[in-house]
Each structure stands twice: as C-alpha cells, then as structure tokens.
Amino acid sequence: MLKRTIFLATCGALAACLILPLMAGDAQKISFQEQILPLIKGRCQSCHKGDAPPAGLNLMSDTGWKKGSANGNVVKAGDSKNSVLVHRIMGLDGKAQMPMNFAPLLPEEIQRIKDWIDQGATYDAPRKHWAYVVPKRPALPSVKLKGWALNPIDSFVLARMEKDGLRPSPEASKETLIRRVSLDLIGLPPTIEEITGFVNDKSPNAYEKVVDRLLASPHYGERQARPWLDLSRYADSNGYEKDNNRVAWPYRDWLINAFNKNLPFDQFTVQQLAGDLLPHPTLDQRVATGFHRNTMKNEEGGVDQDEAFYEVLNDRVATTATVWLGTTMGCAKCHNHKYDPFTQKDYYRLYAFYSNSNVKAEGPASIGEEKYYEPSIPVPTPEAAAKLATLRQEVEALGKQFDAAKPAAVAMLADWEKLAGTESNWRTLSASQATADSGASVEAQPDSSYRVTGKNPEKDSYTVNATIPSGGLAGIRLEALSDGALPNGGPGRADNGNFVLTYISATLDGKAVPLMLASQDLFQDQWPASGALTQDINSGWAMLPGLGKNHQAVFQPLQPMQGSKLSVRLEFQSIYPRHTIGHFRLSVTEDADPALRMVPERIKTLLNKQRTEKESQELQAYYLSVAPALVDLNAKKMAAQKQLDDLTAQQPVALVMQEKPVPYPLAAWVHKRGEFLTKTELVYASTPASLPPMPKDLPRNRLGLAEWLVSPENPLTARVEVNRIWEQYFGRGIVETCEDFGTQGARPTHPELLDWLATEFTRTGWDMKKMNRLIVTSATYRQSSAATPELIEKDPQNLLLARGPRFRMEAEMIRDNALAVAGLLSPKIGGPSVYPDQPELVWNTPYNGQDWMPSKGEDRFRRGIYTFWKRSAPYPVFLVFDATSREYCTVRRIRTNTPLQALNLMNDTTYIEAAKGLAKQMIEHGLSYGFQLCTARQPSAQESERLQRLFEKTVQHYEAQPEEAKKLAGDATTSAWTVVANVLLNLDETLTKG
C-alpha cells in the first residue's frame, strides 16, 4: 500500500477512488464513470485519445470503449479472462504491457478492471462529480459503541470503523495528548510546568482547558500561518534569475494577526483577494492583498514585460483555483481541462478578474531594462505612525503661518527684482590654516581653493581660518568646484561624486556669526543650502544633478558684522556616509543682501523681461523661498517636510494590489495553446460555467470573485478548507489530494464527514478557531497512536482513523521544537525576516552582492516562520525536511525520509547549539528533565540506564581528549551532556508528533 500511495502522489493518477472498496473487502457494484474511466484517463489517455488513436482505440469515453479498436471489441462483458484490454494491460500473449513506455497498472487496479468486466462491463450514466455538488448536511450515523463519541466527528469516524470491523484505540496518555495538541495548535512543545499541571488536573474538562489556553496563545497565529505561507508562495525575494530581495514580511505578520484575531474565513478570503476594493479599506485590509503580490517577478534583462506580467496573472489564476477550489485550473490555460468540467474560456474569464492590476513601467526600454512595478504602501509601526501624524500636523501648521506671512513678502517682490541677479563684490579668502577633524589633508591651491585628499571617513568637518580684507562681513560664499580627480568629477568625495553639507557656522573675532539666509544656484531635490543652517543630519546642501560642474551657495547673517579674524566650519555629518566635499573655495562680501542677489540661471532669465503668467508665478515662488520675511518659516517648513519624508521613507512597505479605474467590464483574450502572442477571442470576467453562477448583485471584479468563492452556493471552498485543516492534524486530508478535488484526485475516505464539516464551517460563520477546537477535542483525535498488528494489517495507512495521528513534524517545527526544549527559542512575534546560522556559500547573488549576514542576539533563534526565504537558495535544513522554494503555490509537502536529514540534525550549527542548551538544563535539573522536555514523558528505567551509560562513556572519552571537549562545549562533563542531548533531540519520538 505504501508503494501504491507514493506512485499515486507522484504520478497524479486517480488515487483513492479505489481505496474504499479495496479496504472494505466488499463486492459492491463497480461504477464505470467513477472507478474505471478516471483510472484509464489517468494512465492511458496520453495515447488513446483524439480522432486517430493507436489501433483506433479511443478510451476517453464510453462510446470509444463500446466501439473498440480496429480489430474489434477490447472488452468481453462477463469474461475478463478473454478480454483484449486485460491481456494488454497485463502484458500477455507475448505483447508489450500497456501503457507503453510507462509504469504498468498496479495489481489492485488491474483487478478492479477485471471485476468490472466480470460484473457485466456496464457503462453507467455520467453523474456530476461529488466535489461539484453543493454539500448537504448529513444526519449523524448510528453506531454500536455508545458513549465513545465526544462530538459529531466521532460518530462518522466510528460508523466507518464499525463497517470494517474495527474498534477505536484507547485515549492517549495525558503526556502524549498535551504534547500532541501543543505542537498542533501553537507549533511548540509544552513546558514541564504545563505537562505537570495537566497531568495533575483531575477535573473533567482539564483537556479542554489546555485547548482553550493554546487557542488564545499569540503563538497560535504563527502555527496556523506556516502552511498558509506555502499556499500564498510567500518569500523574501523575487525569484527567477536575479532573485533580488523584496520586503514582504508585513503580509506574513498580517496572516499571524488574522489567525490570532480569529478573522472568519470568509473575511480572511475577501481581504486577501480584494481588501483594496472594500469600502474605505483599512491599512490592514490593503496589506492583506499581499497574498497575490507574492507572485514571482522576472527582472532578467531583455524580458518582455508584457509577457512577464502575463505569467504573473497566470500564477494568480492558478493559485486562486488551487487554494479555494482545490482545482488544477492551470491545465485550462492551454486547452479545455482533460478531466474536469472547466474550459479554456473559463480559465481566461477568471484571468480577466486580475487583468486590471495597476502597474507602472520604469527603466530604459531601449536596452531591455524596462520593468513593471505594482504598488507598495508604507506600513509604519504604531510609534512611527504617531510620530508621522505629529509631523504632518507640524507641516500643516507651518504652511498656514507661511501663507499668512506671504502677502507682506509679496509686496517686496518688485524691490527684490531690481537687486536679484546683480553681482556682489566677492573677496576670496586666503587661508592661514585649513584642517579636517579626521586628519584628512586640506591643501590650499594657487587659485585660493582647497583640495581634500587622504582618507575619507564616514563623517568629517573642515575648519578654515583666515583674515578677511578690510570692510564688513555681509555674506559668505561657498563654491563647490569640479575636479577630475574626484568620482564623476566631484565636487564631492562620495562614490557618486556628491556631498552633503549638513551645517555651516562661522565666528568673526571670536563672536558667532548668526547665519540666517541661504541661496544657491543649484540643489538636489529637497536638499537646499538652507538645510545647512540647522544641525540636522537628515538635511543639508547636496547637488546630485550637478556633478562635474562648479556651483555655489551663499550664506548671510541678518545684519552685517565688523571684524578681521574669520573662522568657517563646514560639517559633513550626514546619514549618508563619506559624503564630504573634495574641492571648494570660500569668499566673503560686504555688499548688502548677497543671498538675495544670487539666483539660479533659470531665474536670471526671468528677471527684467515681459513674462507670461506662468513665468511670473515661477519667479514669485522662487522669491518666496528666499525672502527675508519668510526665510525662517520656510526653513522650518522645509525641515519639517524633509523630516516627514525621511521618516516615511524609513518605514517598511507592503506589496499590495490596486486596480486601475476603468469604465468598461473587465475582459481578457483567450490565448491559443496558452501562448502569449496568440490571442483569439475576447471574454469577460466571470466564474466557471460548470459551477453555480456569480450572483448578479456582485461586482465583476476581484471583490465579486472573492464573495462568490465564499458564497453558500459554492460547493468547493468550505470542503477544501476544512480538508486542509483536517490534514494539519491527521497528516492526511479526508481527501488525500487536497490540491485536487477533481476526478483525478483521491475520493474522500469519509465523504459524509467531509460534508458535515463543510456545512458546520459555514453554519458557525466560518469560525476557524471553532473548527480547530472541534477537531482536537474529538475522541478521534485523542486516540493513542499505538498500532496493533491487526490495525497494521487491515489499515496500514490509518485511513479509517482507528488510531491517533503519528507522523514526523514539518521542517520549521523540528527546528522550533529543538530550540524550545533547549531554552533558546525567542518568543518575539513579527517583524523583518531574520538570518539564522547556515553553511557558508549557500547564497550566490552576482547581481547585487547580497550575502547571508547571520543575525545577532535572539534573532539567531527566532521561529522558522521568520527565517529569510530566498527562492533561489532556501534555508538548507528546511529543504532537507521537504520545505518548498515557494516559487509556486504548494498545498501539501510530501514527507520523505533520507540519511541527509539525520546528518543535518546531528551536525547543523543550530542543532548543536540546541544540544548545548538542553545539556545545560540537564546539568541543572537532571537527565529525566531533559528527556521529558523532548518527549513530554518520564524515561523508563531501561532508557535512563542506557542514556546514563552513554554519558559515562562519553565523559571518559572527552577526559582523554580534552581538545575535542574544548571544541564542542568546553569541558568533558558539559561536552558529554551535549552528546546525550544530541541523541535526545534525534529520537524518533522527539521528531514525531503523536
């Protein structure tokens, strides 16, 4: 049976449609439509189909079967021994066994076909597949074993057991139960105190109290979000060739919070698919739409972005169908579905719902680097949101003050226009001393400029001392000079040739010069010279668009000053490192209003000429930015605005969906064979014709689609979701192929139970916590997982649930469990992804030089759900334990067992650290304490004796090899306990939930 299950899971053939009759051992009538035709379609259809099949035999319908091959009938009713079909699939008569060049049918499959022929080979009329019929709430079946059932789930399970002559197993021990349910509900093992408290609690509802405590835990959301991250193909990188990093974790945190808040599944669905289309959507509802922004993004050079976005939308269609409909809709991208009632037009009608996404093209298309970008929004923390609100209020208040003072300033415009553009009489300073705080060399040049050479630290400040010529000081001019020796010609020393002057100050004969006005001939957006009048490292004068050219800024006190000994200090303390100036010159003037005289070249062209209205507005706007009456207010407003912009830029962003406003119905082209360039027919947004139609009152957009998915008339969504929930607890869904509820998928082992759960789910308002509680409080779930020889013989895969669930934990939970029992696991919830220890050279990102930089402190030991997920290089230990790269939607992980898993658990850095942590606890509390942490139970005498012998033998080894002990844990005793802990962490019982 194990071989059979592996084959079906791998090949996608019709799975458990045959399991129930085989297990029941009955002689019930075999259905051609439900048990024979789907099997043959799965194994033989690749050849025996179409208008010209091999030997003229078309096995795709009962008509083809009745017609037979070119040599006559292949089925002889009532006589399987003499039926050609049986001879060919068995490889008799010296001919090749069918299907040609593929694995042969399994013995039980051949027997099923033979039985059908012997029963008369009747072709029963096609019936609608069970999954496409709206579930009706079945009545509870009667059972013989009265009193065992604790809730309706048990009645259905017990009735099936009794039908096959089985009895349920006894309830598991309390230690097993609390470990099982803790791992299932929060993904973490119970503490010693929790185990002891439950074992000693003799109240009749002791177990229910544990369940309710776990459901209320903030770690519940983390556990429930883990499988949903596979469904949503969540990752921290874009995928494909470049696989650049992306910020996606706000969606992951939304998931955790949604589960913790017990957001009803219908709202959970609507918000993820169309939260942005809800009336007045909240920030959370918009973040939820990150579900479909998790799609991979192809950034390879030369990629046709229309075609790349076509594949993005294809992924969204296929994922929506898989997650909510349990349907392999991707098959219909190229042709009508071969097995299920979905046409190619159905596919593109669903595609149309996603065809209106708002995208923006950026990058040079001429060199194949144009890329399509969808929207993102800032997601501030509560503290940052409060600060942002305060800054917005400040900017608004300063704006009102500025507007109130503006009329008086405008009245001075004509006087300023006469002055503007006239040259001040600048006198260049000849330095007596010029130094840099960092020790860099500031060298005077023949033209009285200064060149800075030597080291370029992250931050620096220059001081120039000089004697000014006779006369007063009305302004200081700083010339930023280009220089071929600087990056991009300077004038800055940063890698791009820029600089940021964060603050300029001066003293004259020891008295501070109160510089209050500033102007410049050019500045980088939001980095004007006035930014250098405040000691704010987030502002200053910069000139990114003017690299390789000379530019100047003028700084002016409100009143001229008299003196001779001038000291000017230029500070470069920006948040951007090494943005210092490399070549500059200083001058002074005694002329009045030098800051008002100097204007950019563009403004000069507007002076003293006949101007258009637009030009007059441009001139006035510039004057208002430098007018003395407004300069203080303007500086404060710009500083506040820049602080607001900078803080906004520092916030994490969420990738979100957003529609374009369109006045017409959403539509999409059908693509012949799914090819991007081959468009055939235009279709409009709608749902598959074989399923109940979308109500007319729903909008024909993503919101309407989401509402339709969770409508009472939809036969699939509730079934699909409760089946996935069931799989989480029992290791296998009621429908094993939880990704495929179609005719090629497995039949439900307990169809009435599946329908009852689906109707219960909708009846209780799609309450996910209530559904989880119902399952884990059932007697079915609480059974012992011990397998008797009788159960192994009759039901080796536990399909009939006559014993409790027992299977290996998933990748992330194995690591979380090890860190938890070691006392190392960080309880921190949410936030940016982290980088725990992993082997070197796993990452190779030639496009951007990104590297795996291991996290420090508690972030090394965060839960696996927070590990940075790079699609081209996922966390290795997780991959070893069957995790996915998350390039596409994954509904279930197929569990494997390989030697590499053991090697990782025994040698990976994280598990060695966990062994050391567990060893420390055993040194303090004893061997039994560590054993109980790992298994929830006390060790037997034999187990204790064997572990004690291991410890003593290992101590002797390390005492004889002190250097080895030093490498592992320091001393012989600690190292020996670490080895014992390593063994405990590798016990099958430790790695298994059951």
Side-chain angles (χ1 to χ4, degrees), residues 367-385:
I367 58 173
E369 285 296 336
E370 181 182 67
K371 303 290 183 288
Y372 284 176
Y373 292 92
E374 294 182 86
S376 60
I377 56 174
V379 186
T381 63
E383 297 78 12

Short mmCIF file of all heavy atoms in Angstrom, two decimals, residues 367-385:
data_model
loop_
_atom_site.label_atom_id
_atom_site.label_comp_id
_atom_site.label_asym_id
_atom_site.label_seq_id
_atom_site.Cartn_x
_atom_site.Cartn_y
_atom_site.Cartn_z
N ILE A 367 17.21 49.39 -23.77
CA ILE A 367 18.24 48.38 -23.51
C ILE A 367 17.65 47.16 -22.81
O ILE A 367 18.36 46.37 -22.19
CB ILE A 367 19.41 48.95 -22.67
CG1 ILE A 367 18.88 49.50 -21.33
CG2 ILE A 367 20.15 50.02 -23.44
CD1 ILE A 367 20.00 49.92 -20.38
N GLY A 368 16.32 47.02 -22.90
CA GLY A 368 15.67 45.83 -22.35
C GLY A 368 15.59 45.81 -20.85
O GLY A 368 15.49 44.75 -20.25
N GLU A 369 15.65 46.99 -20.22
CA GLU A 369 15.63 47.04 -18.76
C GLU A 369 14.36 47.69 -18.21
O GLU A 369 14.34 48.11 -17.06
CB GLU A 369 16.87 47.76 -18.23
CG GLU A 369 18.15 46.95 -18.31
CD GLU A 369 18.11 45.71 -17.43
OE1 GLU A 369 17.34 45.67 -16.46
OE2 GLU A 369 18.85 44.75 -17.74
N GLU A 370 13.35 47.82 -19.05
CA GLU A 370 12.08 48.32 -18.53
C GLU A 370 11.43 47.23 -17.68
O GLU A 370 11.41 46.06 -18.05
CB GLU A 370 11.15 48.68 -19.68
CG GLU A 370 9.81 49.24 -19.21
CD GLU A 370 8.87 49.54 -20.36
OE1 GLU A 370 8.45 48.58 -21.04
OE2 GLU A 370 8.57 50.72 -20.59
N LYS A 371 10.93 47.61 -16.53
CA LYS A 371 10.29 46.66 -15.62
C LYS A 371 8.94 47.21 -15.20
O LYS A 371 8.75 48.42 -15.07
CB LYS A 371 11.16 46.42 -14.37
CG LYS A 371 12.57 45.93 -14.67
CD LYS A 371 12.57 44.51 -15.19
CE LYS A 371 13.97 43.99 -15.41
NZ LYS A 371 14.65 44.57 -16.57
N TYR A 372 7.98 46.29 -14.96
CA TYR A 372 6.66 46.68 -14.48
C TYR A 372 6.63 46.53 -12.96
O TYR A 372 7.01 45.49 -12.43
CB TYR A 372 5.59 45.78 -15.08
CG TYR A 372 5.25 46.08 -16.53
CD1 TYR A 372 4.36 45.28 -17.23
CD2 TYR A 372 5.83 47.16 -17.19
CE1 TYR A 372 4.04 45.55 -18.55
CE2 TYR A 372 5.51 47.43 -18.51
CZ TYR A 372 4.63 46.62 -19.19
OH TYR A 372 4.32 46.89 -20.50
N TYR A 373 6.19 47.59 -12.31
CA TYR A 373 6.12 47.58 -10.86
C TYR A 373 4.67 47.81 -10.42
O TYR A 373 3.99 48.70 -10.92
CB TYR A 373 7.01 48.66 -10.26
CG TYR A 373 8.48 48.39 -10.46
CD1 TYR A 373 9.15 48.90 -11.58
CD2 TYR A 373 9.20 47.60 -9.56
CE1 TYR A 373 10.49 48.63 -11.79
CE2 TYR A 373 10.54 47.33 -9.76
CZ TYR A 373 11.19 47.85 -10.88
OH TYR A 373 12.51 47.57 -11.09
N GLU A 374 4.23 46.99 -9.48
CA GLU A 374 2.92 47.18 -8.88
C GLU A 374 3.08 47.96 -7.58
O GLU A 374 4.18 48.09 -7.05
CB GLU A 374 2.26 45.82 -8.64
CG GLU A 374 1.93 45.08 -9.93
CD GLU A 374 1.24 43.76 -9.70
OE1 GLU A 374 0.00 43.75 -9.57
OE2 GLU A 374 1.94 42.74 -9.64
N PRO A 375 1.97 48.47 -7.02
CA PRO A 375 2.09 49.42 -5.91
C PRO A 375 2.60 48.80 -4.61
O PRO A 375 2.49 47.60 -4.37
CB PRO A 375 0.64 49.92 -5.72
CG PRO A 375 -0.05 49.57 -7.00
CD PRO A 375 0.60 48.34 -7.51
N SER A 376 3.17 49.66 -3.79
CA SER A 376 3.52 49.32 -2.42
C SER A 376 3.14 50.50 -1.54
O SER A 376 3.06 51.64 -2.01
CB SER A 376 5.01 49.01 -2.29
OG SER A 376 5.79 50.14 -2.66
N ILE A 377 2.88 50.24 -0.28
CA ILE A 377 2.47 51.30 0.65
C ILE A 377 3.28 51.18 1.93
O ILE A 377 3.69 50.08 2.33
CB ILE A 377 0.97 51.22 0.99
CG1 ILE A 377 0.61 49.83 1.56
CG2 ILE A 377 0.12 51.53 -0.23
CD1 ILE A 377 -0.81 49.72 2.05
N PRO A 378 3.58 52.32 2.60
CA PRO A 378 4.31 52.24 3.88
C PRO A 378 3.44 51.62 4.96
O PRO A 378 2.22 51.84 5.00
CB PRO A 378 4.65 53.70 4.18
CG PRO A 378 3.64 54.50 3.43
CD PRO A 378 3.31 53.69 2.20
N VAL A 379 4.08 50.86 5.83
CA VAL A 379 3.37 50.23 6.94
C VAL A 379 4.12 50.59 8.23
O VAL A 379 4.96 49.82 8.72
CB VAL A 379 3.31 48.70 6.77
CG1 VAL A 379 2.44 48.07 7.85
CG2 VAL A 379 2.76 48.34 5.40
N PRO A 380 3.85 51.77 8.79
CA PRO A 380 4.60 52.19 9.97
C PRO A 380 4.18 51.42 11.22
O PRO A 380 3.06 50.93 11.32
CB PRO A 380 4.23 53.67 10.10
CG PRO A 380 2.88 53.78 9.46
CD PRO A 380 2.87 52.78 8.35
N THR A 381 5.12 51.36 12.16
CA THR A 381 4.79 50.82 13.47
C THR A 381 3.87 51.80 14.18
O THR A 381 3.78 52.97 13.78
CB THR A 381 6.06 50.62 14.30
OG1 THR A 381 6.67 51.92 14.51
CG2 THR A 381 7.06 49.71 13.59
N PRO A 382 3.18 51.39 15.24
CA PRO A 382 2.32 52.34 15.96
C PRO A 382 3.08 53.58 16.44
O PRO A 382 2.56 54.69 16.37
CB PRO A 382 1.80 51.51 17.14
CG PRO A 382 1.82 50.10 16.64
CD PRO A 382 3.03 50.01 15.75
N GLU A 383 4.32 53.38 16.90
CA GLU A 383 5.12 54.52 17.37
C GLU A 383 5.45 55.46 16.21
O GLU A 383 5.34 56.68 16.34
CB GLU A 383 6.41 54.02 18.03
CG GLU A 383 6.22 53.17 19.27
CD GLU A 383 5.81 51.74 18.97
OE1 GLU A 383 5.90 51.32 17.78
OE2 GLU A 383 5.38 51.05 19.90
N ALA A 384 5.85 54.86 15.09
CA ALA A 384 6.19 55.67 13.92
C ALA A 384 4.95 56.37 13.37
O ALA A 384 5.02 57.52 12.92
CB ALA A 384 6.83 54.80 12.85
N ALA A 385 3.80 55.68 13.42
CA ALA A 385 2.57 56.29 12.93
C ALA A 385 2.22 57.53 13.75
O ALA A 385 1.78 58.55 13.19
CB ALA A 385 1.43 55.28 12.99
#
